[in-house]
Amino acid sequence: QLQAFGGGLVQAGGCLRLSCAASGSIFSVNGMGWYRQAPGKQRELVADITRGGRINYADSVKGRFTISRDNAKNTMYLQMNSLKPNDTAVYYCNAEVFLTLRSGPYDYWGHGTLVTVSS
């Protein structure tokens, strides 16, 4: 399973750090990513990172957010700086998981963590 942590209420210009941990009987985790869904909008990609460290950001967060991961811990992070009110959303983590060498990849989603940025 995936568990996301670190959401909360912050003022515009502030920062938050989200964490996502994959747990259970997992052989390996390939690509991981953060998505968000604001009220009344579709879920969108925020940033993703391959196991080898190749990174992709949405244009709206470039220069403000930093994604990273610890492969040994099957954990991913999102450092969010200079937050804006339109960053307010539920943030979800996603991972491509292998349960064994030949079982996968499976698409895992965390339950989401709410980030609220006040103006």
Side-chain angles (χ1 to χ4, degrees):
Q1 62 177 357
L2 290 183
Q3 288 185 299
F5 306 93
L9 174 64
V10 64
Q11 287 188 331
C15 59
L16 284 173
R17 188 183 193 223
L18 305 183
S19 301
C20 173
S23 61
S25 182
I26 293 172
F27 177 74
S28 69
V29 179
N30 283 5
M32 300 184 80
W34 289 99
Y35 292 74
R36 67 185 181 187
Q37 187 167 16
K41 295 188 177 181
Q42 290 189 332
R43 189 174 298 188
E44 63 176 2
L45 175 69
V46 176
D48 57 22
I49 182 169
T50 67
R51 185 173 181 82
R54 189 171 69 247
I55 290 171
N56 174 53
Y57 292 105
D59 288 343
S60 59
V61 306
K62 283 180 181 176
R64 299 188 298 121
F65 291 9
T66 302
I67 189 172
S68 61
R69 64 186 287 174
D70 183 333
N71 289 334
K73 297 180 180 179
N74 289 329
T75 301
M76 172 180 62
Y77 307 95
L78 186 68
Q79 178 65 43
M80 305 185 293
N81 298 330
S82 302
L83 282 160
K84 304 175 180 179
N86 60 7
D87 291 318
T88 294
V90 177
Y91 284 71
Y92 298 90
C93 57
N94 171 261
E96 298 173 330
V97 174
F98 280 83
L99 300 180
T100 68
L101 181 62
R102 293 184 178 85
S103 179
Y106 299 103
D107 204 24
Y108 278 25
W109 287 91
H111 288 296
T113 184
L114 177 63
V115 172
T116 304
V117 184
S118 63
S119 57

